[in-house]
Amino acid sequence: MENYKKEFIEFMVDSKALKFGDFTLKSGRKSPFFMNAGAYETGGQLKRLGEYYARAIHESYGDDFDVLFGPAYKGIPLSVAAAVAYSELYGREVRYCSNRKEVKDHGDAGILLGSRLKDGDRVVIIEDVTTSGKSIEETYPIIMAQAKVEIRGLIVSLNRMEKGPGGRISALDEIKERYGFDACAIITMKDVGEYLYNRPYRGQVYIDDALKAAIDEYYGIYGA
């Protein structure tokens, strides 16, 4: 595992964006872990988060894209932070774009924030986490209605590695099948498990034998 991915796992734990325990997800599933990108609250945290996204984007797509699209609402700060970090780390200016939940009919009118999309743009969609793929169902037609663009892929911070709504494969793989573009993550829950299992971090073991058993049981039911 690359060092930046190990650092990202530690960063998620430090920021309390990744928690372990007993959680009820929006889907109704009972999960022994929970990921919340809303826990990144400070300028320093957002700067580091953007850098991790930028590294993962560069690893997956190189410079073969023009725009980072962050769906409202959580995707807005993610796209901004990643665009800034990409410029600083790789010396290349990429544009950011997001959608509004409601169309604005005055001033900077329309449904988009940031850069406008134009024919020929290569777009990477950036989100926090994808469990069901519902966000992409809403985002994809909005993007494609703006211009004749190419979706290069989707990147999320954490691949939960759970079955999508179809019940066969993961939500990210379902997106690949349905839309025909790549979908990847900075890290997977497999990475998290391998790195934190019985390994003390800041004097605490976050994934001990009992929690690992709970995670294994969860994936026995919902894992892809």
Side-chain angles (χ1 to χ4, degrees):
M1 190 190 314
E2 296 90 334
N3 282 335
Y4 83 88
K5 294 187 177 184
K6 297 176 183 177
E7 292 173 4
F8 183 60
I9 294 171
E10 295 175 351
F11 172 64
M12 292 177 75
V13 172
D14 288 340
S15 303
K16 297 182 171 53
L18 180 62
K19 296 181 178 181
F20 302 98
D22 297 304
F23 304 95
T24 300
L25 306 180
K26 188 176 181 179
S27 63
R29 296 176 180 178
K30 304 289 186 180
S31 174
F33 60 91
F34 180 68
M35 189 269 168
N36 173 29
Y40 303 115
E41 300 174 339
T42 70
Q45 288 174 332
L46 288 172
K47 182 178 185 297
R48 288 188 63 189
L49 181 62
E51 290 169 352
Y52 291 123
Y53 267 107
R55 290 180 183 179
I57 290 167
H58 190 263
E59 183 179 278
S60 298
Y61 306 108
D63 286 336
D64 192 22
F65 70 101
D66 306 294
V67 182
L68 288 174
F69 188 96
Y73 287 104
K74 287 184 179 178
I76 296 175
L78 297 181
S79 62
V80 172
V84 171
Y86 205 90
S87 174
E88 291 181 347
L89 291 176
Y90 303 108
R92 181 170 179 268
E93 295 289 2
V94 296
R95 291 140 50 210
Y96 98 91
C97 180
S98 297
N99 65 294
R100 295 181 170 96
K101 288 289 189 179
E102 303 83 18
V103 177
K104 187 177 178 183
D105 61 4
H106 61 281
D108 182 21
I111 197 169
L112 299 182
L113 294 168
S115 171
R116 292 293 182 259
L117 297 175
K118 59 181 185 291
D119 291 352
D121 276 342
R122 300 161 298 171
V123 179
V124 172
I125 303 171
I126 181 169
E127 291 195 335
D128 56 347
V129 66
T130 295
T131 303
S132 68
K134 180 174 172 53
S135 175
I136 293 298
E137 288 182 14
E138 300 171 354
T139 301
Y140 182 77
I142 292 173
I143 295 175
M144 301 309 292
Q146 309 307 311
K148 295 177 181 178
V149 304
E150 176 193 355
I151 307 295
R152 292 285 291 117
L154 164 72
I155 187 158
V156 300
S157 60
L158 175 67
N159 181 356
R160 289 182 60 98
M161 302 176 65
E162 298 175 30
K163 295 174 185 174
R168 296 184 302 108
I169 54 180
S170 73
L172 290 184
D173 285 335
E174 283 189 358
I175 289 170
K176 292 180 187 179
E177 275 195 358
R178 180 171 180 180
Y179 298 100
F181 55 74
D182 186 47
C184 57
I186 302 176
I187 57 167
T188 68
M189 272 307 295
K190 180 180 179 182
D191 295 329
V192 173
E194 289 178 350
Y195 187 62
L196 291 181
Y197 176 51
N198 277 343
R199 176 184 178 276
Y201 175 63
R202 297 194 188 280
Q204 180 177 347
V205 174
Y206 286 88
I207 302 180
D208 57 14
D209 290 339
L211 186 60
K212 184 178 185 303
I215 293 173
D216 290 344
E217 181 180 356
Y218 181 80
Y219 277 113
I221 301 171
Y222 301 115

